[in-house]
Amino acid sequence: MVSGATDGLGGAPLRLKTGLAEMLKGGVIMDVISAEQAKIAEEAGAVAVMALERVPAQIRAEGGVARMASPRKIKEIMAAVSIPVMAKCRIGHFAEAQVLEALGVDFIDESEVLTPADEVNHVDKHAFTTPFVCGARNLGEALRRIAEGAAMIRTKGEAGTGDVVHAVRHIRQIVREIRALTVLRDDELQGAAKELGAAYELVRLVSKTGCLPVPNFSAGGIATPADAALVRQLGAEAVFVGSGIFMRDSQNFAELGEAKARAEAIVQAVTHYDDPKILAETSEACPGAIRGLAASGLEEGELLQTRGW
Amino acid sequence: MQTGRSCTIGVLALQGDYAAHEGALRDSGSEVILVRAPQELRDVNGLVIPGGESTALLKLLSRANMFEAIKRFCIVKPVFGTCAGCILLAKNVLPARQESLAVLDIDVQRNAYGRQTDSRVAVGEYVGSEIPLEMVLIRAPMIVRTGPDVEILARYLGVPTLVRQRDLLAATFHPELSTDRRIHRFFYTMVCQSIQRSSSCSA
């Protein structure tokens, strides 16, 4: 499906924002915390990097308030690579987003991985030239973020766990809810919009096209080539890999050679996601994975995905 | 095997906005298949290399054993590259001396307009047409040199944005993200003419 290309949602700016997201399709966006890691990601074939102070697994382990990365770090990473650089701001923290736009980052992730700054409001993303990506667990949440101006949706999953179960739950949920809308009669769409908590016009658009009006990527717990292939086959158009590339466990980094091999293997798996023979070779070439944390063992209060609404 | 006179265009589907090209080509009357392996090139009369990240595409091309295969394909059949695809076709890539297929006699500079905040929907000149052309430029490269055999088909701010060298076509913008289908129809015609030429040769 050509999502975003002719969405009828707005003029040039939204088309330019979703246009960059279109270019990232079929690719892997990798979390990095240094120029060195960013270069490894680019050499491995990442389509973009997410510049961070700490990856989600570290944030989870160390606690404290997680904020936007320091401008110095972001600039260092931007100078190191030629691919797009993304950075995260806290939910609702539009001043952090303004800083990121002024730095010239290519995409802003208004992310539940950082400590939320506003319990009620997300950033008004229409006010920015820089495109935004936002997390979602279901269709209603995805459409609320799109109404606010998000140019890309990613499933939230459960970041920093290396457990793919929630990423699977969320992509299945969104795809199922989209499918359900396509069989409704026109006079049932207002009721559906009320139930989803989403704008009627967007609900109607999804019902007609059978897809989100912006690209739909997956994130939150993807750790192996097979994980990446799984979410791709379930409908994700590209994949974010956070802690899964560079971490051995929540506190220790993997050796760089190992991280590079993992990165290359996941890139290969995202492209050839429906070719089991290539996936087998790629999985064999992939050295280990982050030790991980079973998401089912987390307390409600430890979940990152419940941040934002 | 080619069946009858049908025209099938492949879209390289390793990474990038290949789905948008697929839609644009179908709108223009072409049969389309997505290409991810070298043997799939046998079934197509022309190829589109889409927008995406050129560094990632290069990596994926060599790992799928497609770099040499596409280079050979470029010699015998029409190929159209947009943005990253244009970078891959170019003889020289600046500033980092990035590897490329080097089949099209142009030099391109990556990210020449700046970062994403400098991306734009521009309106430029389509040579030979009175109707201007919309050009979606996303972290776009710039063609900074064209060789003697390269024909300039469109310009923005005086700089070439669409060029042709025999059966190779390259754009620094994304016609697949506009609703104007003139560029895809133009490439479709190039492919049809190439089929006619090769069938009259063999006859």
Side-chain angles (χ1 to χ4, degrees), chain B residues 63-98:
Chain B
R63 278 189 229 149
N65 297 318
M66 291 192 77
F67 190 86
E68 289 302 325
I70 290 185
K71 202 165 169 160
R72 283 194 299 274
F73 188 95
C74 287
I75 299 167
V76 291
K77 286 181 183 169
V79 177
F80 178 25
T82 63
C83 197
C86 172
I87 295 170
L88 288 182
L89 292 174
K91 192 167 184 183
N92 294 302
V93 181
L94 309 167
R97 285 237 152 260
Q98 183 172 298

Side-chain angles (χ1 to χ4, degrees), chain A residues 23 25 43-44 82 104 106, chain B residues 15-16 59 110 115-116 139:
Chain A
M23 299 310 142
K25 279 186 178 178
E43 279 162 22
S82 65
D106 297 293
Chain B
Q15 191 273 312
K59 205 81 196 171
R110 290 184 61 203
R115 305 192 69 96
Q116 172 62 11
R139 288 171 47 93

Side-chain angles (χ1 to χ4, degrees), chain A residues 24 47 70 158 237 244-245 254 263 289 294:
Chain A
L24 304 178
V47 291
S70 81
E158 189 53 35
E237 296 172 303
I245 304 276

Side-chain angles (χ1 to χ4, degrees), chain A residues 39-50:
Chain A
K39 279 191 191 138
I40 289 172
E42 182 176 45
E43 279 162 22
V47 291
V49 292
M50 179 77 70

